[in-house]
Amino acid sequence: MDGFLSLISDRFFEGFSLLIAVSALIYAALAHRVAKQALATAKTSALATLKFKAHEGRERAEQSFHSLQSACHDTRSQWDLHHHRHSPKLGSLHSPQDDTHHISEIERQGHTLLRPLDLSLSELGTMDATELEDYIQRAHRIAARIDQLRFELSPPKQLFA
């Protein structure tokens, strides 16, 4: 019986060590699974953030375009008032359209710049992270360029009478 108890006591520590090792492996497997889920969630979150930023970039470019349209309208109004006040009574060879042609051209340029950003939300949803980052940068460049177009508008010179 002493031999049997000594065998059990010797194997007890080995069995206990084996139980601890198996528990550690199970814990590591669970931790690995949780880490994979966390990584997938982080990627999904990062992609959602990029989609949101892409949408914001497009909104900013559209807002810049609407601001450009408003500035074009104001400049046209200034030219119309100028022509009304200072046009020759009998007419001239100079057409009022010549003065305002650049306004339409600038507005058309702004519209042309905005066109590549015209994607639906479903199209944005199919883009990967790299494509979204490119889209965001493009949207910021286009918004800045549209903002610059406003400075190319030339209102009429004030005539002192």
Side-chain angles (χ1 to χ4, degrees), residues 86-155:
H86 303 288
S87 64
K89 301 298 183 219
L90 298 176
S92 72
L93 297 176
H94 178 73
S95 168
Q97 303 302 336
D98 294 340
D99 294 330
T100 59
H101 177 72
H102 80 284
I103 298 170
S104 299
E105 183 59 34
I106 288 172
E107 199 169 7
R108 190 176 13 258
Q109 286 176 11
H111 189 339
T112 302
L113 285 169
L114 189 61
R115 194 172 303 134
L117 296 179
D118 194 21
L119 299 176
S120 67
L121 290 177
S122 63
E123 290 172 308
L124 281 176
T126 61
M127 292 181 167
D128 66 2
T130 304
E131 291 171 327
L132 285 169
E133 288 172 354
D134 290 343
Y135 182 87
I136 292 166
Q137 290 176 357
R138 194 170 354 120
H140 288 302
R141 282 194 307 270
I142 287 172
R145 178 63 186 123
I146 290 172
D147 286 339
Q148 290 173 348
L149 285 174
R150 285 192 318 206
F151 297 112
E152 294 179 21
L153 292 171
S154 52

